[in-house]
Amino acid sequence: MDQQNLTTTVTEFIFLGLTQNHQLKYFLFMVFFIVYMTTWVGNFTIIITVITDHRLHTPMYFLLANLAFMDVSDSSVNAPNLLSGLLSQRKTISFNECILQMFFFHFIGGAMAFFLVGMAIDRYVAIYKPLRYLIIMNQNMCVGLAVLAWVGGLVHSAVQMGLLLQFPFCGPNILDNFYCDVPQVIKLACADTHVVELQMVFNGGVLLIILFISLLISYTIILVKIRTHVTDGKRKALSTCGTQIIVVCVLFIPSIFIYARPFKKFTVDKVASIFFTVIPQMLNPMIYTLRNAEMKKAIRRLMSRILFSRRKLKTIFE
């Protein structure tokens, strides 16, 4: 208590960012700006196409549109921080904004992890119960999977923030990263955090491992079914399933590396953070949706309608 009285409560945190090399900063800014814009354009195209095209009002595309919304939301939590940090000499964030950033990051990220399991269930039913697919994956089931995912993410994030906010922050305020996250912030607390760190590892890391193993088992079962029973389009189905597994690995393996171990600093932490905060959100629309023939046709129909509307308006005003 005496130590707390002699120190000042932290009101802001200072980011060290990805690098201090100015030339590298500008190069990285261009790379991640393109990634961020690609994420927004790809995912918004999917959302608008699914909403406007009645042919896509099916369980699979409902889930894909929800995943696209999660991708846009998740990328918007940390990517702007990453980009602004690469252009500024000294990047800071207030304590309250830092807490909000962590809350939404774990909320949306947790929801996405749960939702990917729901999408694996959808694919399992489509492969193993094709005749009953529309009966099992009805509107209530699809909405229920989405709601459960968001509730799961909310509970996970609330627990993380509840464990973190019980500590006072009165000492150092420098974060060797480009965004606020639990492993870095808790190390700045003015108290012994060992027990709580173990609780956080269980709430985050162990949960990620369980979900990751569940996804791998689900996709393995689906791959076996495709190889042994599917005849039409087998190669394409195997390729699609294989690339989905790769995206799942890109998201989960770096996340497990960060959250399923004691919160100690490693040199590769920033690189791992990039892989699950920026990259999967860009890859998801390409892998899950834009390789789909029906989605491609729907996007072309949407573009045709937009071009026709523009020509019609141009003709009217002329």
Side-chain angles (χ1 to χ4, degrees):
M1 184 64 69
D2 292 337
Q3 185 180 0
Q4 281 183 248
N5 292 335
L6 293 172
T7 56
T8 305
T9 301
V10 170
T11 58
E12 68 175 16
F13 293 103
I14 301 171
F15 295 119
L16 294 184
L18 280 181
T19 179
Q20 299 303 315
N21 185 313
H22 293 293
Q23 292 181 340
L24 184 57
K25 274 187 175 184
Y26 295 128
F27 172 74
L28 291 175
F29 175 83
M30 292 304 300
V31 170
F32 291 122
F33 179 77
I34 292 171
V35 170
Y36 187 47
M37 288 297 101
T38 304
T39 300
W40 268 74
V41 171
N43 284 294
F44 259 114
T45 299
I46 291 167
I47 294 169
I48 293 170
T49 304
V50 172
I51 291 174
T52 57
D53 196 319
H54 70 278
R55 301 181 195 181
L56 300 183
H57 293 175
T58 62
M60 182 178 74
Y61 293 106
F62 171 82
L63 296 176
L64 289 173
N66 275 271
L67 180 64
F69 176 75
M70 289 180 178
D71 284 331
V72 170
S73 303
D74 196 37
S75 66
S76 299
V77 176
N78 291 326
N81 242 40
L82 169 62
L83 294 173
S84 61
L86 289 170
L87 292 181
S88 60
Q89 296 295 326
R90 185 174 182 270
K91 177 65 178 176
T92 63
I93 187 172
S94 71
F95 180 85
N96 290 336
E97 288 174 341
C98 181
I99 297 299
L100 281 175
Q101 187 183 74
M102 287 188 288
F103 172 78
F104 282 109
F105 176 57
H106 284 271
F107 174 29
I108 300 169
M112 185 184 296
F114 286 113
F115 194 71
L116 288 174
V117 175
M119 291 186 67
I121 293 172
D122 172 74
R123 291 299 83 205
Y124 176 87
V125 174
I127 295 294
Y128 276 83
K129 305 285 184 181
L131 298 179
R132 300 189 60 207
Y133 174 71
L134 292 177
I135 298 174
I136 297 173
M137 296 303 298
N138 54 46
Q139 184 178 6
N140 290 337
M141 173 65 81
C142 292
V143 173
L145 289 174
V147 170
L148 283 174
W150 283 109
V151 171
L154 178 62
V155 172
H156 160 70
S157 184
V159 171
Q160 292 288 80
M161 293 305 100
L163 292 171
L164 180 68
L165 290 174
Q166 65 182 289
F167 295 110
F169 290 86
C170 52
N173 65 337
I174 297 176
L175 296 171
D176 189 14
N177 213 327
F178 60 91
Y179 69 107
C180 285
D181 202 4
V182 171
Q184 292 86 35
V185 173
I186 196 171
K187 285 299 183 183
L188 303 182
C190 303
D192 181 11
T193 62
H194 180 70
V195 175
V196 172
E197 284 182 37
L198 292 177
Q199 293 173 328
M200 288 180 166
V201 167
F202 181 80
N203 180 49
V206 174
L207 180 62
L208 283 170
I209 292 173
I210 293 172
L211 293 177
F212 183 50
I213 292 174
S214 301
L215 283 169
L216 289 182
I217 293 173
S218 300
Y219 278 115
T220 300
I221 294 172
I222 292 170
L223 282 171
V224 170
K225 179 69 172 182
I226 292 172
R227 287 182 64 88
T228 56
H229 293 84
V230 177
T231 54
D232 297 332
K234 177 185 287 188
R235 181 176 298 178
K236 184 177 179 181
L238 287 171
S239 173
T240 301
C241 197
T243 49
Q244 289 177 1
I245 292 173
I246 292 173
V247 173
V248 166
C249 290
V250 170
L251 175 63
F252 276 87
I253 292 177
S255 301
I256 290 170
F257 173 75
I258 294 293
Y259 300 112
R261 60 175 170 81
F263 294 156
K264 294 181 180 180
K265 180 182 174 182
F266 290 90
T267 54
V268 295
D269 282 355
K270 292 181 184 179
V271 177
S273 297
I274 288 291
F275 271 98
F276 66 82
T277 59
V278 179
I279 303 300
Q281 294 79 359
M282 178 188 70
L283 294 178
N284 279 342
M286 299 178 185
I287 300 303
Y288 282 92
T289 309
L290 297 180
R291 296 181 64 188
N292 182 288
E294 186 60 35
M295 177 59 74
K296 289 179 182 178
K297 292 178 184 177
I299 291 174
R300 283 195 288 268
R301 289 195 295 268
L302 176 63
M303 294 298 105
S304 298
R305 289 198 299 270
I306 293 173
L307 290 174
F308 177 76
S309 299
R310 285 184 177 179
R311 288 174 185 171
K312 190 173 180 180
L313 286 173
K314 187 177 180 182
T315 304
I316 293 172
F317 283 107
E318 286 178 352

